[in-house]
Amino acid sequence: MSVSHSSKLNKVVRDQYMKLPLGDKVLVTYIWIDGTGEGLRCKTRTLSQEPKTIEDLPEWNFDGSSTGQSEGSNSDMFLIPVKIFRDPFTLDPNKLVLCEVLKYNRKRAETNLRSSCKIIMDMVKESQPWFGMEQEYTLLGVDGHPYGWPKNGFPGPQGPYYCGVGADKVYGRDIVETHYRACIYAGVEICGTNAEVMPSQWEFQVGPCEGIEMGDHLWMARYILHRVCEDFGVIATLDPKPITGNWNGAGCHTNVSTKETRQKGGIKFIEAAIDKLSKRHKYHIRMYDPRGGQDNSRRLTGQHETSNIFEFSAGIANRGASIRIPRQVGQDGCGYFEDRRPSANCDPYAVTEAIVRTVLLNESGDEPEVYSNEERLQSAATKD
């Protein structure tokens, strides 16, 4: 099995140094999304005391020309802390800090989609939008071959692997369980995990999270996943179709509810939301992967539990539809719906913002509305 050289280093020697006391010093790792809109970067600094709030964390900077976010002649980018988590790798009192990225002129970087998402979520906070996202991913060796697959062939056909048990059905459970516990320690709202349909493919779920918290928690869960895989010497890919042929792709199904849909009789609000989404399919497809739908076109074929990328569909308990209403929701007459279109490598800020714009702000057309400060305040006041 192809694993990284670093994973073969003597961890016992490393543990000797990890046990050294730090005195009153605290290590804080700043984490941000790079210029690809998919990759994560990080660097660590020392603080003289444990930060309790975001206000306790100083802004920082980095070389944006090395992350695809600026030119070398004007390369400094600002890191703005927005969310603190506990550090499951170096333990308390050390911290992981999710950051937004600003350019030299203090305007948001192109891949900083959190900034606009936060504005939209603030406009609809009275509706209490809750999200739960199901992050699928595939484990690979460092050679790019699926972890556990025969070196010069394929495993048996799909069927026994989903939620499977046994050494011949699941690969990499140690990684999955390590990630799960690390997320809980960090304070990430992870709520479940399972083996997926394709061997070496897994899923974890994050939520329910309200508003901007959805993106914050999923991005941190992704960071922790990549760091855990780094320790084990393998790769977690979020490619929506890592293996061509008769194998399932990888999505990030997004479950959505509001105060109205959760109340008795909420099914009528769910149906109204689906109607709005049906009229804006092209816009959502563009928002649901970092390449404007190109990545998802390999996955949303109408096969392997997906809908067709060119057609909108909805149904109760239908995993081949764009939008699925869970059977229990249909019976209860209230609850949530599942948008099955987002790709595994989507930006959760873009996905949740697009849904809120369409469902709660009643936007239509292929482009998002631009709101003035007055309109933002008026919307928030109206909701309040």
Side-chain angles (χ1 to χ4, degrees):
M1 186 55 60
S2 178
V3 297
S4 69
H5 293 293
S6 294
S7 67
K8 299 176 183 178
L9 294 173
N10 191 326
K11 304 302 181 183
V12 174
V13 173
R14 174 182 178 273
D15 286 345
Q16 283 184 266
Y17 296 98
M18 294 301 290
K19 294 174 183 176
L20 293 174
L22 300 179
D24 59 357
K25 303 300 182 184
V26 177
L27 306 182
V28 180
T29 299
Y30 284 49
I31 300 158
W32 70 97
I33 302 163
D34 68 16
T36 66
E38 299 177 72
L40 288 161
R41 307 292 179 112
C42 69
K43 62 177 187 173
T44 304
R45 68 185 301 169
T46 306
L47 296 184
S48 58
Q49 61 183 12
E50 181 180 357
K52 302 292 187 181
T53 67
I54 286 296
E55 289 70 31
D56 296 333
L57 293 163
E59 293 183 9
W60 207 6
N61 58 69
F62 67 96
D63 172 17
S65 68
S66 297
T67 62
Q69 292 170 289
S70 71
E71 298 294 330
S73 59
N74 190 12
S75 64
D76 281 2
M77 309 283 285
F78 295 104
L79 290 173
I80 312 300
V82 293
K83 187 73 176 178
I84 304 176
F85 295 86
R86 297 168 71 195
D87 188 338
F89 305 105
T90 59
L91 307 183
D92 289 338
N94 305 310
K95 306 297 181 187
L96 303 178
V97 178
L98 188 66
C99 299
E100 285 193 26
V101 176
L102 301 183
K103 295 188 284 190
Y104 71 94
N105 56 6
R106 308 289 296 186
K107 293 185 178 180
R108 72 174 183 87
E110 284 72 14
T111 55
N112 174 9
L113 303 186
R114 186 185 190 276
S115 178
S116 62
C117 183
K118 179 69 164 60
I119 291 170
I120 296 302
M121 293 302 173
D122 285 346
M123 291 174 67
V124 300
K125 60 184 178 181
E126 182 62 21
S127 290
Q128 299 172 12
W130 291 2
F131 303 95
M133 300 186 79
E134 306 169 19
Q135 177 68 71
E136 294 179 335
Y137 61 96
T138 307
L139 295 175
L140 309 175
V142 292
D143 59 358
H145 193 70
Y147 186 80
W149 285 33
K151 200 63 182 174
N152 297 307
F154 297 91
Q158 296 183 154
Y161 310 110
Y162 172 70
C163 296
V165 178
D168 59 339
K169 297 181 181 66
V170 295
Y171 310 115
R173 194 185 294 276
D174 285 352
I175 297 167
V176 173
E177 294 186 342
T178 300
H179 172 250
Y180 201 156
R181 285 156 178 76
C183 282
I184 290 175
Y185 179 93
V188 170
E189 292 292 339
I190 190 169
C191 61
T193 189
N194 59 270
E196 266 301 334
V197 176
M198 187 179 80
S200 299
Q201 186 185 75
W202 293 84
E203 172 185 300
F204 64 87
Q205 302 92 32
V206 175
C209 295
E210 186 170 333
I212 198 68
E213 293 284 302
M214 184 68 254
D216 291 350
H217 282 257
L218 186 59
W219 272 116
M220 187 54 67
R222 288 175 174 179
Y223 171 80
I224 293 171
L225 175 65
H226 292 309
R227 278 286 284 105
V228 166
C229 285
E230 182 183 322
D231 286 345
F232 280 93
V234 300
I235 296 168
T237 178
L238 304 187
D239 190 293
K241 189 68 175 179
I243 306 298
T244 58
N246 195 26
W247 303 100
N248 273 35
C252 195
H253 304 153
T254 302
N255 301 281
V256 185
S257 73
T258 65
K259 182 173 65 176
E260 292 80 13
T261 70
R262 295 188 292 269
Q263 294 173 351
K264 185 177 180 180
I267 190 70
K268 66 180 180 182
F269 293 99
I270 292 174
E271 291 168 349
I274 292 172
D275 183 60
K276 295 173 188 177
L277 291 166
S278 72
K279 298 171 182 174
R280 218 181 184 201
H281 181 61
K282 289 183 179 179
Y283 165 71
H284 282 267
I285 288 296
R286 200 170 76 244
M287 295 296 105
Y288 284 1
D289 82 47
R291 291 172 184 80
Q294 293 182 37
D295 284 348
N296 241 344
S297 66
R298 295 183 284 120
R299 167 182 162 258
L300 295 180
T301 61
Q303 298 178 318
H304 306 111
E305 301 183 45
T306 69
S307 59
N308 188 304
I309 194 170
F310 300 110
E311 300 172 358
F312 181 89
S313 57
I316 293 177
N318 184 357
R319 283 179 163 77
S322 307
I323 305 292
R324 178 179 73 94
I325 300 175
R327 190 173 303 283
Q328 191 65 47
V329 172
Q331 293 174 359
D332 294 343
C334 62
Y336 67 98
F337 64 89
E338 176 192 46
D339 193 332
R340 297 179 59 82
R341 294 172 293 175
S343 65
N345 62 342
C346 70
D347 188 322
Y349 297 127
V351 171
T352 55
E353 177 184 332
I355 291 170
V356 164
R357 282 178 175 274
T358 300
V359 172
L360 294 177
L361 293 179
N362 300 313
E363 292 187 15
S364 59
D366 291 338
E367 297 298 329
E369 297 284 345
V370 177
Y371 298 98
S372 67
N373 288 334
E374 183 179 351
E375 287 173 316
R376 295 174 196 169
L377 293 171
Q378 189 175 40
S379 176
T382 301
K383 299 292 183 183
D384 288 344

